[in-house]
Amino acid sequence: MNQKKLSIKNLTITLPQGSDRKYAVNDVSLDLYANEILCIVGESGSGKSLLSNAIMGLLPDGVTASQGKIDFDGNNLLTYNDEQMRKIRGAHIGMVFQDPMTALNPLKTIANQISEMFTIHTNLSKKDINQKVISLLTDVQMPNPISVANAYPHQLSGGQRQRTMIAMALALEPAILIADEPTTALDVTTQACILKLISELQSRKGTAVLFITHDFGVVADIATRVAVMQQGQIVEQGVAEELLNHPNHHYTQGLIAAVPPLTPGDVRLINKEIILEVNNLSKVYHKSSFFKKNRRTTYAVNDVSFKLHKGSTLGIVGESGSGKSTLARCIIKLLEIDSGQIHFEKEDISNLKGNKLKHYARHIQMVFQDPYASLNPRRKVGDQVTIGPILHGITKQDAIKKAKELFNMVGLESEALNRYPHEFSGGQRQRIGLARALALEPKILIADEPVSALDVSVQAQVLELLSELRKKLGLTVLFITHDLRVAAQICDHILVMKSGKIVEQGIASQVFLNPSQPYTKNLLAAVPGKGWNPPRLIDMSPAIHI
């Protein structure tokens, strides 16, 4: 048995008065050993992140560890003051946070931020520190580490910022690395690189890794052991392979059952009628220096053409920056195109203005990625659902009646119309976003990463709801995602984008089972847990034409 690096005994974390629950973490005991990756999984609100924050002495104001102990190197970390914890953080326990953009200082270069680890905890010379910085950036496989060291966070990609966080966390070779959802917002290829990097560093240095995630594919790829949390308690823990394939607790079974498999189902019959046709569409951005030299041209969307069949779901997949969301915003007329045509029901709507654009807009509506940012926090959700129909001439009374029907349709009580967005969970907000988009009875629904911010069980509920709405209302769906498991289950056709261009498109089963392009093959190869197929949840099938 490897050496025990951390031992949590009967830990209870108490929330402030007035919270929905009394305890965020309730009587949790957990051991972490050297040279292992222990994954903690569970839905939002299960207590995963607060557990890691308690280890680091970073609990929010009003949240207290009221019971238990966290034993590290023979000492109870819960008894340490701020000065003592500062000596532990970084030097002995490193942490990689979920959002590197908020964790990094936007006013300091990458080199300065990594250097601080050595300046605070060591007596190394400036020359030695600079060499250490470059060495760390090289260790985390950063391209052109010298250039990256001199850059600011906003000049790096999401994957590069996350690698920087890992470099900082490992700078002083801590005995323990805590990674809190470090790959949630990343593309599958970048995610695969980060997971491989953490696994290799852990293996090479014998580090004990506490990895927090809600992605069971990630768990299948890297975990040695798994602990499952629900409402502040550990309901099941064990060796990863055994728990993933033979879960005992009903909550674990439900979470695993909610993970969509990567293989598309049986072929589904759809209509041959074309409702939307895009021809040679391009969106270009130009950037010039102050003196207008070295003008740089970026094709966000480059000569894209495709057809959308009535009643079908077309999935657009690809990495960040591939042009997926820009293409959607061009179709919905949030962005002006530079060239090409967009035909809706055989009418060219590329250059529509005024009332004609208003008439078109009601037929194509959008559900946005972030269920928190897409709703106005100062207005009741009922007002936000009814405003569209009212602007298009429907009376307020009829709009409210319609909103109540829509809320019932998406699984919400009609009384919820009088509440504000902050009173709802993320999954409920996404349902409100769906109701708002459907209020104008659109013919096409554009869903831009609608489930990427949701837990796996809530994600399954929203996907099932989309499936039911499509059948009930005859919707045509343009579904944008970087989650290939989701795309495999809900999409009839797949369109793969890279650097603004379509590199492959076809029926979902064809693209997933027999991809023709190296880029598509690389995307599929990078899907976490691709060798592990959980039970199928949603009966969605790819299409053949009738």
Side-chain angles (χ1 to χ4, degrees), residues 145-306:
I146 296 176
S147 175
V148 168
N150 295 318
Y152 290 88
H154 74 273
Q155 295 175 303
L156 304 181
S157 68
Q160 288 175 325
R161 288 193 291 267
Q162 201 61 284
R163 288 168 194 245
T164 298
M165 289 294 301
I166 294 171
M168 292 175 66
L170 295 173
L172 301 173
E173 299 190 359
I176 295 172
L177 176 66
I178 300 174
D180 186 4
E181 299 273 15
T183 60
T184 297
L186 303 179
D187 302 314
V188 286
T189 48
T190 306
Q191 182 182 50
C193 290
I194 297 296
L195 294 176
K196 183 180 179 183
L197 175 63
I198 291 176
S199 185
E200 287 176 351
L201 291 170
Q202 173 267 328
S203 179
R204 191 165 73 242
K205 297 180 182 294
T207 311
V209 178
L210 188 67
F211 197 104
I212 296 168
T213 183
H214 64 259
D215 189 331
F216 273 92
V218 170
V219 174
D221 271 356
I222 69 168
T224 310
R225 289 189 300 122
V226 185
V228 182
M229 289 192 71
Q230 180 189 23
Q231 295 184 345
Q233 295 184 312
I234 293 178
V235 297
E236 185 170 2
Q237 59 178 307
V239 176
E241 185 177 358
E242 181 67 22
L243 187 142
L244 287 171
N245 295 310
H246 306 287
N248 291 317
H249 197 276
H250 63 86
Y251 178 70
T252 312
Q253 293 168 353
L255 288 179
I256 291 175
V259 179
L262 189 57
T263 306
D266 297 330
V267 173
R268 190 177 66 87
L269 298 176
I270 63 169
N271 203 309
K272 282 187 177 181
E273 183 182 347
I274 304 299
I275 190 171
L276 184 78
E277 184 172 358
V278 174
N279 294 315
N280 310 111
L281 189 148
S282 292
K283 177 62 182 176
V284 186
Y285 293 104
H286 301 288
K287 185 176 182 180
S288 302
S289 68
F290 180 76
F291 298 103
K292 297 190 177 181
K293 293 181 179 179
N294 301 320
R295 187 181 187 188
R296 189 173 66 188
T297 299
T298 301
Y299 280 84
V301 178
N302 190 355
D303 196 29
V304 163
S305 300
F306 68 89

Side-chain angles (χ1 to χ4, degrees), residues 28 53 76 89 98-99 128 132 135 176 182 185 214 238 250 261 383 407 424 458 479 512 517 521 529:
V28 163
N53 288 341
N76 182 7
R89 296 185 201 115
Q98 179 173 355
D99 186 355
D128 288 341
K132 285 275 190 182
S135 176
I176 295 172
H214 64 259
H250 63 86
D383 294 335
F407 265 47
F424 298 91
V458 181
F479 194 92
F512 276 90
Q517 297 301 311
K521 293 176 182 178

Side-chain angles (χ1 to χ4, degrees), residues 1-249:
M1 176 65 72
N2 290 322
Q3 179 187 0
K4 188 184 294 184
K5 289 293 183 180
L6 188 80
S7 183
I8 300 173
K9 298 294 184 185
N10 307 114
L11 178 66
T12 295
I13 298 175
T14 305
L15 294 169
Q17 286 188 343
S19 302
D20 293 339
R21 307 202 321 250
K22 184 176 181 181
Y23 303 117
V25 173
N26 189 6
D27 197 28
V28 163
S29 296
L30 201 64
D31 293 322
L32 178 64
Y33 295 89
N35 202 31
E36 77 162 353
I37 298 179
L38 171 61
C39 282
I40 300 182
V41 296
E43 297 172 290
S44 296
S46 62
K48 308 185 302 294
S49 293
L50 281 179
L51 178 65
S52 67
N53 288 341
I55 296 170
M56 297 296 287
L58 296 173
L59 288 175
D61 291 340
V63 179
T64 57
S66 55
Q67 176 186 305
K69 63 186 294 188
I70 300 175
D71 190 292
F72 173 71
D73 203 19
N75 298 300
N76 182 7
L77 295 182
L78 295 180
T79 66
Y80 277 28
N81 58 33
D82 287 342
E83 184 178 349
Q84 290 173 308
M85 281 307 302
R86 277 195 291 270
K87 294 177 181 178
I88 294 293
R89 296 185 201 115
H92 301 284
I93 305 178
M95 187 162 183
V96 182
F97 295 92
Q98 179 173 355
D99 186 355
M101 199 60 186
T102 56
L104 293 170
N105 189 330
L107 302 178
K108 291 186 176 182
T109 64
I110 298 303
N112 284 339
Q113 298 189 58
I114 299 177
S115 295
E116 283 182 352
M117 303 294 296
F118 298 103
T119 304
I120 294 170
H121 294 283
T122 73
N123 295 317
L124 291 174
S125 67
K126 188 174 181 179
K127 180 180 178 182
D128 288 341
I129 290 175
N130 289 337
Q131 289 176 345
K132 285 275 190 182
V133 169
I134 300 303
S135 176
L136 280 166
L137 292 175
T138 302
D139 281 348
V140 297
Q141 301 170 23
M142 194 77 82
N144 199 349
I146 296 176
S147 175
V148 168
N150 295 318
Y152 290 88
H154 74 273
Q155 295 175 303
L156 304 181
S157 68
Q160 288 175 325
R161 288 193 291 267
Q162 201 61 284
R163 288 168 194 245
T164 298
M165 289 294 301
I166 294 171
M168 292 175 66
L170 295 173
L172 301 173
E173 299 190 359
I176 295 172
L177 176 66
I178 300 174
D180 186 4
E181 299 273 15
T183 60
T184 297
L186 303 179
D187 302 314
V188 286
T189 48
T190 306
Q191 182 182 50
C193 290
I194 297 296
L195 294 176
K196 183 180 179 183
L197 175 63
I198 291 176
S199 185
E200 287 176 351
L201 291 170
Q202 173 267 328
S203 179
R204 191 165 73 242
K205 297 180 182 294
T207 311
V209 178
L210 188 67
F211 197 104
I212 296 168
T213 183
H214 64 259
D215 189 331
F216 273 92
V218 170
V219 174
D221 271 356
I222 69 168
T224 310
R225 289 189 300 122
V226 185
V228 182
M229 289 192 71
Q230 180 189 23
Q231 295 184 345
Q233 295 184 312
I234 293 178
V235 297
E236 185 170 2
Q237 59 178 307
V239 176
E241 185 177 358
E242 181 67 22
L243 187 142
L244 287 171
N245 295 310
H246 306 287
N248 291 317
H249 197 276

Side-chain angles (χ1 to χ4, degrees), residues 229-473:
M229 289 192 71
Q230 180 189 23
Q231 295 184 345
Q233 295 184 312
I234 293 178
V235 297
E236 185 170 2
Q237 59 178 307
V239 176
E241 185 177 358
E242 181 67 22
L243 187 142
L244 287 171
N245 295 310
H246 306 287
N248 291 317
H249 197 276
H250 63 86
Y251 178 70
T252 312
Q253 293 168 353
L255 288 179
I256 291 175
V259 179
L262 189 57
T263 306
D266 297 330
V267 173
R268 190 177 66 87
L269 298 176
I270 63 169
N271 203 309
K272 282 187 177 181
E273 183 182 347
I274 304 299
I275 190 171
L276 184 78
E277 184 172 358
V278 174
N279 294 315
N280 310 111
L281 189 148
S282 292
K283 177 62 182 176
V284 186
Y285 293 104
H286 301 288
K287 185 176 182 180
S288 302
S289 68
F290 180 76
F291 298 103
K292 297 190 177 181
K293 293 181 179 179
N294 301 320
R295 187 181 187 188
R296 189 173 66 188
T297 299
T298 301
Y299 280 84
V301 178
N302 190 355
D303 196 29
V304 163
S305 300
F306 68 89
K307 296 177 181 179
L308 179 58
H309 292 260
K310 187 174 182 179
S312 71
T313 299
L314 170 64
I316 304 179
V317 302
E319 298 169 296
S320 294
S322 61
K324 306 186 302 295
S325 294
T326 302
L327 175 60
R329 281 160 171 74
C330 287
I331 292 170
I332 204 170
K333 303 295 289 180
L334 288 176
L335 291 174
E336 292 295 327
I337 65 174
D338 290 293
S339 62
Q341 298 86 39
I342 303 170
H343 289 92
F344 172 70
E345 294 186 330
K346 299 182 179 179
E347 180 184 354
D348 188 355
I349 52 88
S350 308
N351 300 305
L352 289 184
K353 305 287 182 185
N355 287 332
K356 288 186 177 180
L357 177 59
K358 182 180 177 181
H359 175 75
Y360 161 74
R362 71 176 300 167
H363 294 304
I364 302 185
Q365 290 292 299
M366 193 163 183
V367 180
F368 296 91
Q369 177 174 359
D370 189 343
Y372 295 92
S374 60
L375 293 173
N376 187 335
R378 297 183 178 182
R379 300 192 65 179
K380 293 179 180 179
V381 296
D383 294 335
Q384 299 185 58
V385 173
T386 57
I387 188 172
I390 291 171
L391 286 174
H392 281 82
I394 297 175
T395 66
K396 185 174 182 179
Q397 184 178 358
D398 287 342
I400 292 173
K401 181 181 177 182
K402 180 72 174 177
K404 288 180 178 180
E405 293 173 357
L406 286 168
F407 265 47
N408 290 327
M409 189 182 296
V410 300
L412 293 172
E413 298 292 333
S414 57
E415 291 78 11
L417 288 166
N418 295 315
R419 291 158 59 188
Y420 289 91
H422 73 271
E423 300 177 74
F424 298 91
S425 68
Q428 288 173 324
R429 293 185 206 203
Q430 203 60 292
R431 291 170 184 266
I432 294 166
L434 269 171
R436 180 177 61 181
L438 296 173
L440 289 170
E441 300 181 359
K443 296 180 179 179
I444 297 176
L445 182 70
I446 298 178
D448 187 4
E449 300 275 12
V451 295
S452 65
L454 304 178
D455 294 317
V456 63
S457 56
V458 181
Q459 170 183 284
Q461 293 167 14
V462 173
L463 292 177
E464 191 168 15
L465 174 61
L466 272 173
S467 171
E468 291 172 356
L469 291 174
R470 187 185 67 178
K471 294 173 184 174
K472 186 174 183 179
L473 304 177

